[in-house]
Amino acid sequence: MSKTSVKSTALEQRVSLSEHGAAAWSMQIVTRYGLLLLCVLLTILFSLLSPSFASMLTLQAILASKAKIALLALAATIPMIVGKIDLNVGFGIVLWHILAITLQVEYGFSWQMAVLTVLAISAVYGLLNGILVALADIDSFVATLGSGTVLYAVALWHSGGRQIVGDLPDAFIALHHTEIFGIPIGAFYVLAVAIILWLITEHTPLGRCMYAVGGNPAAARLNGIAVNKFTIGAFIASSVLTGFSGVLIAAEQGVGQASVGMDYLLPALVGAFLGSTTIRPGRVNVWGTVVGIAILAIGIAGIQQFGGDFWVEPLFNGATLLLSITLAGYAQRRRMLNQKAVVRSQSTPASTPDNNQNTITPGSTL
């Protein structure tokens, strides 16, 4: 386990302007930060075409509407780091937002107890999913699809197929509707979660072990890493973050209904997959996910401002998902080739002449 302190970028091919030239260096910059540059270009383009786009009102609308999707995308990123996929970022919030309301309206819980209860139940649910994947050895897609469908059925049973309405405390509503310096508080939630996940995944042995598990579980296990523990832990963390997102949806809408939730699944997965093509191409990473969601948010907001129909958003999300998976596969293949090149260069010792070595020629004596 002591070897896990090695930098997570140890096997990444480093390209410098002085050693490899401007073309190779520029290609790496475009590959890593191309989506971020695209975000800036889209913002400039939409602002030139529609001056109302470059307004505080538009920024507030984007941040308020996409903050929950960004949190769910970060939740999906966590199990992806260990090589798994969790569909409950969509299924889970159906029950979690209903439960956050019914506990207060029908069971008399304080809003603090309701939130803590939802987070605790979501943690247990994540534990069960982790056990199905890690210990029962069920494919994560199949396991979370099955458990998510069961959870959706529980949400229908719990709500009776009807809307759950009632008077909710102002403090609970403020969890979503508060603004700080004119910025919706949801944006600060996303920033805080992203920074915490970035610090953990990129700068701690815990995060490096997670990437090791996702890269090669067999090799990670041989190196003493508890693969099952990290897999289960990833599902628990993802489920808790999904539970928190469900609480925010409940605070935003003030109504619990089973029809809310599945619309969040596709954009959350798109953001996570798209994120693996930028910042650290070929590897799921936190800031890449944030950039991926920003691309979706800016693109959809710009298209809608120019009169895009109601079907534009799902079309945009679906097409972007196909593109992101294609790009992610290409980036991962390039990353693997770069890693192999680095390993070969490190394993081949430099051949330097030894001036002290005697040369033996025919007829010479030792």
Side-chain angles (χ1 to χ4, degrees):
M1 291 294 292
S2 59
K3 293 184 178 180
T4 59
S5 60
V6 66
K7 291 184 178 180
S8 58
T9 58
L11 292 181
E12 293 184 7
Q13 188 175 25
R14 293 171 175 81
V15 177
S16 65
L17 184 61
S18 58
E19 294 182 10
H20 300 87
W25 181 81
S26 300
M27 179 60 67
Q28 185 181 66
I29 294 299
V30 171
T31 302
R32 287 188 173 183
Y33 305 108
L35 282 184
L36 187 59
L37 179 61
L38 181 60
C39 281
V40 177
L41 293 178
L42 283 177
T43 302
I44 295 174
L45 175 64
F46 289 138
S47 299
L48 293 175
L49 296 176
S50 175
S52 62
F53 185 84
S55 65
M56 191 65 179
L57 184 62
T58 301
L59 177 62
Q60 289 174 335
I62 291 176
L63 293 178
S65 62
K66 302 304 179 183
K68 296 174 291 296
I69 294 178
L71 288 174
L72 291 171
L74 291 172
T77 299
I78 300 172
M80 284 185 181
I81 290 176
V82 297
K84 308 297 180 184
I85 188 169
D86 188 0
L87 298 180
N88 284 294
V89 295
F91 288 105
I93 55 176
V94 179
L95 179 60
W96 306 142
H97 93 279
I98 292 176
L99 197 59
I101 294 177
T102 56
L103 288 176
Q104 299 178 70
V105 174
E106 298 183 2
Y107 296 97
F109 280 42
S110 66
W111 72 266
Q112 297 95 331
M113 279 303 302
V115 171
L116 291 176
T117 302
V118 169
L119 296 180
I121 296 176
S122 63
V124 173
Y125 179 68
L127 173 64
L128 294 177
N129 278 323
I131 291 173
L132 288 175
V133 174
L135 301 183
D137 199 22
I138 302 175
D139 180 79
S140 59
F141 184 92
V142 175
T144 56
L145 178 61
S147 63
T149 305
V150 171
L151 198 69
Y152 180 68
V154 173
L156 290 173
W157 165 79
H158 181 69
S159 64
R162 58 186 174 84
Q163 290 186 342
I164 308 297
V165 296
D167 292 330
L168 297 171
D170 293 338
F172 179 75
I173 300 298
L175 289 176
H176 178 272
H177 292 284
T178 301
E179 292 186 356
I180 301 177
F181 303 114
I183 303 297
I185 194 171
F188 293 96
Y189 294 147
V190 174
L191 181 61
V193 171
I195 290 176
I196 292 171
L197 289 180
W198 171 68
L199 290 174
I200 292 174
T201 57
E202 298 289 346
H203 298 282
T204 67
L206 172 62
R208 292 158 199 155
C209 287
M210 291 175 65
Y211 277 115
V213 171
N216 192 327
R221 186 175 285 107
L222 290 174
N223 280 277
I225 298 176
V227 173
N228 291 342
K229 181 180 72 174
F230 285 100
T231 301
I232 294 174
F235 276 97
I236 293 175
S238 174
S239 189
V240 170
L241 188 51
T242 302
F244 179 68
S245 303
V247 169
L248 294 182
I249 292 174
E252 176 193 20
Q253 300 185 355
V255 176
Q257 51 187 347
S259 60
V260 174
M262 295 309 298
D263 290 341
Y264 292 92
L265 175 60
L266 183 58
L269 294 179
V270 170
F273 278 116
L274 196 59
S276 66
T277 67
T278 187
I279 309 299
R280 293 287 178 81
R283 189 179 78 170
V284 181
N285 64 94
V286 172
W287 294 120
T289 297
V290 174
V291 172
I293 290 297
I295 283 284
L296 294 178
I298 295 172
I300 292 172
I303 292 173
Q304 289 178 340
Q305 280 213 357
F306 291 99
D309 291 324
F310 64 93
W311 46 265
V312 169
E313 183 169 354
L315 175 63
F316 188 85
N317 288 334
T320 308
L321 176 62
L322 294 176
L323 178 62
S324 63
I325 291 177
T326 302
L327 293 176
Y330 172 74
Q332 189 171 23
R333 288 192 295 272
R334 285 197 58 181
R335 179 181 173 83
M336 293 301 297
L337 291 175
N338 289 339
Q339 289 181 352
K340 291 179 181 179
V342 173
V343 171
R344 283 197 298 267
S345 64
Q346 291 177 348
S347 61
T348 304
S351 56
T352 56
D354 188 356
N355 297 327
N356 296 327
Q357 183 177 3
N358 294 325
T359 301
I360 301 176
T361 58
S364 64
T365 58
L366 294 177

